[in-house]
PDB file of all heavy atoms in Angstrom:
ATOM      1  N   PRO N   5      67.186  -0.695  60.152  1.00  0.00           N
ATOM      2  CA  PRO N   5      66.454   0.248  59.305  1.00  0.00           C
ATOM      3  C   PRO N   5      67.328   0.766  58.177  1.00  0.00           C
ATOM      4  O   PRO N   5      68.541   0.916  58.326  1.00  0.00           O
ATOM      5  CB  PRO N   5      66.076   1.373  60.285  1.00  0.00           C
ATOM      6  CG  PRO N   5      67.064   1.268  61.393  1.00  0.00           C
ATOM      7  CD  PRO N   5      67.377  -0.199  61.519  1.00  0.00           C
ATOM      8  N   SER N  21      88.052  25.537  51.069  1.00  0.00           N
ATOM      9  CA  SER N  21      87.182  26.587  50.545  1.00  0.00           C
ATOM     10  C   SER N  21      86.028  26.827  51.502  1.00  0.00           C
ATOM     11  O   SER N  21      85.597  25.918  52.217  1.00  0.00           O
ATOM     12  CB  SER N  21      86.629  26.202  49.163  1.00  0.00           C
ATOM     13  OG  SER N  21      85.656  25.180  49.270  1.00  0.00           O
ATOM     14  N   ARG N  24      83.097  24.438  50.685  1.00  0.00           N
ATOM     15  CA  ARG N  24      83.152  23.104  51.278  1.00  0.00           C
ATOM     16  C   ARG N  24      82.881  23.178  52.777  1.00  0.00           C
ATOM     17  O   ARG N  24      82.217  22.293  53.349  1.00  0.00           O
ATOM     18  CB  ARG N  24      84.517  22.463  51.010  1.00  0.00           C
ATOM     19  CG  ARG N  24      84.707  21.101  51.665  1.00  0.00           C
ATOM     20  CD  ARG N  24      83.636  20.091  51.194  1.00  0.00           C
ATOM     21  NE  ARG N  24      83.704  18.852  51.952  1.00  0.00           N
ATOM     22  CZ  ARG N  24      84.419  17.790  51.596  1.00  0.00           C
ATOM     23  NH1 ARG N  24      85.157  17.831  50.485  1.00  0.00           N
ATOM     24  NH2 ARG N  24      84.415  16.699  52.318  1.00  0.00           N
ATOM     25  N   LEU N  38      68.245  14.397  61.691  1.00  0.00           N
ATOM     26  CA  LEU N  38      67.711  13.039  61.550  1.00  0.00           C
ATOM     27  C   LEU N  38      67.913  12.245  62.831  1.00  0.00           C
ATOM     28  O   LEU N  38      67.048  11.462  63.231  1.00  0.00           O
ATOM     29  CB  LEU N  38      68.382  12.336  60.376  1.00  0.00           C
ATOM     30  CG  LEU N  38      67.900  12.757  58.989  1.00  0.00           C
ATOM     31  CD1 LEU N  38      68.823  12.207  57.915  1.00  0.00           C
ATOM     32  CD2 LEU N  38      66.470  12.283  58.744  1.00  0.00           C
ATOM     33  N   ALA N  41      65.362  12.691  65.313  1.00  0.00           N
ATOM     34  CA  ALA N  41      64.125  11.975  64.983  1.00  0.00           C
ATOM     35  C   ALA N  41      64.319  10.464  65.081  1.00  0.00           C
ATOM     36  O   ALA N  41      63.459   9.695  64.652  1.00  0.00           O
ATOM     37  CB  ALA N  41      63.660  12.355  63.590  1.00  0.00           C
ATOM     38  N   ALA N  45      71.913   8.496  58.897  1.00  0.00           N
ATOM     39  CA  ALA N  45      71.971   8.768  57.468  1.00  0.00           C
ATOM     40  C   ALA N  45      73.352   8.455  56.925  1.00  0.00           C
ATOM     41  O   ALA N  45      74.354   8.575  57.630  1.00  0.00           O
ATOM     42  CB  ALA N  45      71.618  10.226  57.182  1.00  0.00           C
ATOM     43  N   ALA N  56      86.325  18.411  37.291  1.00  0.00           N
ATOM     44  CA  ALA N  56      86.182  19.541  36.364  1.00  0.00           C
ATOM     45  C   ALA N  56      86.491  19.147  34.920  1.00  0.00           C
ATOM     46  O   ALA N  56      85.728  19.464  33.992  1.00  0.00           O
ATOM     47  CB  ALA N  56      87.084  20.694  36.804  1.00  0.00           C
ATOM     48  N   GLY N  66      78.654  14.086  25.358  1.00  0.00           N
ATOM     49  CA  GLY N  66      77.245  13.784  25.572  1.00  0.00           C
ATOM     50  C   GLY N  66      76.984  12.785  26.670  1.00  0.00           C
ATOM     51  O   GLY N  66      75.826  12.488  26.976  1.00  0.00           O
ATOM     52  N   ALA N  75      79.400   9.745  40.231  1.00  0.00           N
ATOM     53  CA  ALA N  75      78.892  10.928  40.926  1.00  0.00           C
ATOM     54  C   ALA N  75      77.502  11.297  40.431  1.00  0.00           C
ATOM     55  O   ALA N  75      76.600  11.610  41.224  1.00  0.00           O
ATOM     56  CB  ALA N  75      79.853  12.097  40.732  1.00  0.00           C
ATOM     57  N   ASP N  78      75.038   8.825  41.784  1.00  0.00           N
ATOM     58  CA  ASP N  78      74.782   9.035  43.209  1.00  0.00           C
ATOM     59  C   ASP N  78      73.795  10.180  43.430  1.00  0.00           C
ATOM     60  O   ASP N  78      72.897  10.094  44.270  1.00  0.00           O
ATOM     61  CB  ASP N  78      76.088   9.331  43.956  1.00  0.00           C
ATOM     62  CG  ASP N  78      76.917   8.083  44.192  1.00  0.00           C
ATOM     63  OD1 ASP N  78      76.380   6.969  44.017  1.00  0.00           O
ATOM     64  OD2 ASP N  78      78.098   8.221  44.552  1.00  0.00           O
ATOM     65  N   PHE N  92      79.369  33.647  41.586  1.00  0.00           N
ATOM     66  CA  PHE N  92      80.166  34.320  40.569  1.00  0.00           C
ATOM     67  C   PHE N  92      79.232  35.155  39.699  1.00  0.00           C
ATOM     68  O   PHE N  92      78.251  34.641  39.164  1.00  0.00           O
ATOM     69  CB  PHE N  92      80.897  33.312  39.676  1.00  0.00           C
ATOM     70  CG  PHE N  92      82.016  32.579  40.361  1.00  0.00           C
ATOM     71  CD1 PHE N  92      82.444  31.365  39.875  1.00  0.00           C
ATOM     72  CD2 PHE N  92      82.654  33.103  41.474  1.00  0.00           C
ATOM     73  CE1 PHE N  92      83.485  30.678  40.478  1.00  0.00           C
ATOM     74  CE2 PHE N  92      83.692  32.436  42.099  1.00  0.00           C
ATOM     75  CZ  PHE N  92      84.109  31.219  41.603  1.00  0.00           C
ATOM     76  N   GLU N 108      68.897  15.590  32.891  1.00  0.00           N
ATOM     77  CA  GLU N 108      67.738  16.008  32.109  1.00  0.00           C
ATOM     78  C   GLU N 108      66.679  16.609  33.032  1.00  0.00           C
ATOM     79  O   GLU N 108      66.678  16.375  34.241  1.00  0.00           O
ATOM     80  CB  GLU N 108      67.146  14.810  31.367  1.00  0.00           C
ATOM     81  CG  GLU N 108      68.081  14.215  30.325  1.00  0.00           C
ATOM     82  CD  GLU N 108      67.435  13.061  29.592  1.00  0.00           C
ATOM     83  OE1 GLU N 108      66.296  12.695  29.947  1.00  0.00           O
ATOM     84  OE2 GLU N 108      68.070  12.526  28.679  1.00  0.00           O
ATOM     85  N   ALA N 120      72.299  26.137  48.934  1.00  0.00           N
ATOM     86  CA  ALA N 120      73.225  26.968  49.700  1.00  0.00           C
ATOM     87  C   ALA N 120      74.243  27.607  48.772  1.00  0.00           C
ATOM     88  O   ALA N 120      74.549  27.080  47.693  1.00  0.00           O
ATOM     89  CB  ALA N 120      73.934  26.134  50.767  1.00  0.00           C
ATOM     90  N   LEU N 130      70.582  36.857  47.054  1.00  0.00           N
ATOM     91  CA  LEU N 130      69.447  36.523  46.188  1.00  0.00           C
ATOM     92  C   LEU N 130      69.790  35.472  45.138  1.00  0.00           C
ATOM     93  O   LEU N 130      68.905  34.976  44.444  1.00  0.00           O
ATOM     94  CB  LEU N 130      68.908  37.783  45.513  1.00  0.00           C
ATOM     95  CG  LEU N 130      68.095  38.724  46.411  1.00  0.00           C
ATOM     96  CD1 LEU N 130      67.667  39.963  45.632  1.00  0.00           C
ATOM     97  CD2 LEU N 130      66.883  38.014  46.973  1.00  0.00           C
ATOM     98  N   LEU N 132      70.357  32.589  45.661  1.00  0.00           N
ATOM     99  CA  LEU N 132      69.646  31.374  46.055  1.00  0.00           C
ATOM    100  C   LEU N 132      68.275  31.279  45.399  1.00  0.00           C
ATOM    101  O   LEU N 132      67.847  30.198  44.981  1.00  0.00           O
ATOM    102  CB  LEU N 132      69.488  31.344  47.581  1.00  0.00           C
ATOM    103  CG  LEU N 132      70.781  31.236  48.386  1.00  0.00           C
ATOM    104  CD1 LEU N 132      70.513  31.581  49.847  1.00  0.00           C
ATOM    105  CD2 LEU N 132      71.378  29.844  48.258  1.00  0.00           C
ATOM    106  N   ALA N 145      63.764  18.578  41.502  1.00  0.00           N
ATOM    107  CA  ALA N 145      64.031  18.497  42.932  1.00  0.00           C
ATOM    108  C   ALA N 145      62.986  19.290  43.716  1.00  0.00           C
ATOM    109  O   ALA N 145      62.248  20.120  43.160  1.00  0.00           O
ATOM    110  CB  ALA N 145      65.428  19.015  43.249  1.00  0.00           C
ATOM    111  N   VAL N 148      63.826  22.673  50.065  1.00  0.00           N
ATOM    112  CA  VAL N 148      63.143  23.084  51.287  1.00  0.00           C
ATOM    113  C   VAL N 148      63.022  24.605  51.288  1.00  0.00           C
ATOM    114  O   VAL N 148      63.699  25.302  50.518  1.00  0.00           O
ATOM    115  CB  VAL N 148      63.900  22.592  52.539  1.00  0.00           C
ATOM    116  CG1 VAL N 148      63.973  21.071  52.548  1.00  0.00           C
ATOM    117  CG2 VAL N 148      65.304  23.201  52.623  1.00  0.00           C
ATOM    118  N   ALA N 154      76.003  32.176  52.929  1.00  0.00           N
ATOM    119  CA  ALA N 154      77.050  32.542  53.882  1.00  0.00           C
ATOM    120  C   ALA N 154      78.003  33.538  53.241  1.00  0.00           C
ATOM    121  O   ALA N 154      78.702  33.213  52.277  1.00  0.00           O
ATOM    122  CB  ALA N 154      77.810  31.302  54.343  1.00  0.00           C
ATOM    123  N   THR N 156      81.366  36.111  53.719  1.00  0.00           N
ATOM    124  CA  THR N 156      82.644  35.924  54.396  1.00  0.00           C
ATOM    125  C   THR N 156      82.538  36.250  55.878  1.00  0.00           C
ATOM    126  O   THR N 156      83.076  35.532  56.738  1.00  0.00           O
ATOM    127  CB  THR N 156      83.719  36.810  53.741  1.00  0.00           C
ATOM    128  OG1 THR N 156      83.835  36.461  52.356  1.00  0.00           O
ATOM    129  CG2 THR N 156      85.066  36.629  54.425  1.00  0.00           C
ATOM    130  N   ASP N 158      80.105  35.839  57.817  1.00  0.00           N
ATOM    131  CA  ASP N 158      79.265  34.913  58.562  1.00  0.00           C
ATOM    132  C   ASP N 158      80.049  33.750  59.176  1.00  0.00           C
ATOM    133  O   ASP N 158      79.491  32.961  59.932  1.00  0.00           O
ATOM    134  CB  ASP N 158      78.170  34.340  57.656  1.00  0.00           C
ATOM    135  CG  ASP N 158      77.131  35.383  57.291  1.00  0.00           C
ATOM    136  OD1 ASP N 158      76.889  36.274  58.118  1.00  0.00           O
ATOM    137  OD2 ASP N 158      76.572  35.302  56.178  1.00  0.00           O
ATOM    138  N   LEU N 188      61.657   5.101  51.904  1.00  0.00           N
ATOM    139  CA  LEU N 188      61.654   3.686  52.274  1.00  0.00           C
ATOM    140  C   LEU N 188      60.907   2.856  51.237  1.00  0.00           C
ATOM    141  O   LEU N 188      61.312   1.752  50.885  1.00  0.00           O
ATOM    142  CB  LEU N 188      61.020   3.493  53.655  1.00  0.00           C
ATOM    143  CG  LEU N 188      61.914   3.804  54.854  1.00  0.00           C
ATOM    144  CD1 LEU N 188      61.119   3.693  56.140  1.00  0.00           C
ATOM    145  CD2 LEU N 188      63.108   2.869  54.897  1.00  0.00           C
ATOM    146  N   ARG N 191      63.114   2.314  48.307  1.00  0.00           N
ATOM    147  CA  ARG N 191      64.230   1.399  48.541  1.00  0.00           C
ATOM    148  C   ARG N 191      63.803  -0.062  48.563  1.00  0.00           C
ATOM    149  O   ARG N 191      64.618  -0.942  48.441  1.00  0.00           O
ATOM    150  CB  ARG N 191      64.897   1.724  49.882  1.00  0.00           C
ATOM    151  CG  ARG N 191      65.609   3.062  49.926  1.00  0.00           C
ATOM    152  CD  ARG N 191      66.854   3.060  49.051  1.00  0.00           C
ATOM    153  NE  ARG N 191      67.638   4.260  49.285  1.00  0.00           N
ATOM    154  CZ  ARG N 191      68.588   4.344  50.206  1.00  0.00           C
ATOM    155  NH1 ARG N 191      68.844   3.330  50.991  1.00  0.00           N
ATOM    156  NH2 ARG N 191      69.277   5.468  50.334  1.00  0.00           N
ATOM    157  N   PRO N 201      59.391 -14.019  32.950  1.00  0.00           N
ATOM    158  CA  PRO N 201      58.761 -13.540  31.708  1.00  0.00           C
ATOM    159  C   PRO N 201      57.868 -14.608  31.093  1.00  0.00           C
ATOM    160  O   PRO N 201      58.143 -15.809  31.177  1.00  0.00           O
ATOM    161  CB  PRO N 201      59.961 -13.226  30.807  1.00  0.00           C
ATOM    162  CG  PRO N 201      61.090 -12.990  31.748  1.00  0.00           C
ATOM    163  CD  PRO N 201      60.844 -13.903  32.914  1.00  0.00           C
ATOM    164  N   GLU N 204      59.466 -17.193  28.824  1.00  0.00           N
ATOM    165  CA  GLU N 204      60.206 -18.254  29.500  1.00  0.00           C
ATOM    166  C   GLU N 204      59.269 -19.324  30.035  1.00  0.00           C
ATOM    167  O   GLU N 204      59.581 -20.519  30.011  1.00  0.00           O
ATOM    168  CB  GLU N 204      61.047 -17.654  30.630  1.00  0.00           C
ATOM    169  CG  GLU N 204      61.976 -18.653  31.303  1.00  0.00           C
ATOM    170  CD  GLU N 204      62.901 -17.995  32.296  1.00  0.00           C
ATOM    171  OE1 GLU N 204      63.197 -16.796  32.133  1.00  0.00           O
ATOM    172  OE2 GLU N 204      63.332 -18.685  33.240  1.00  0.00           O
TER     173      GLU N 204
END
Side-chain angles (χ1 to χ4, degrees):
S21 72
R24 176 59 188 268
L38 284 169
D78 283 346
F92 290 157
E108 296 182 356
L130 286 178
L132 295 165
V148 299
T156 301
D158 290 329
L188 281 175
R191 293 291 190 90
E204 186 173 334

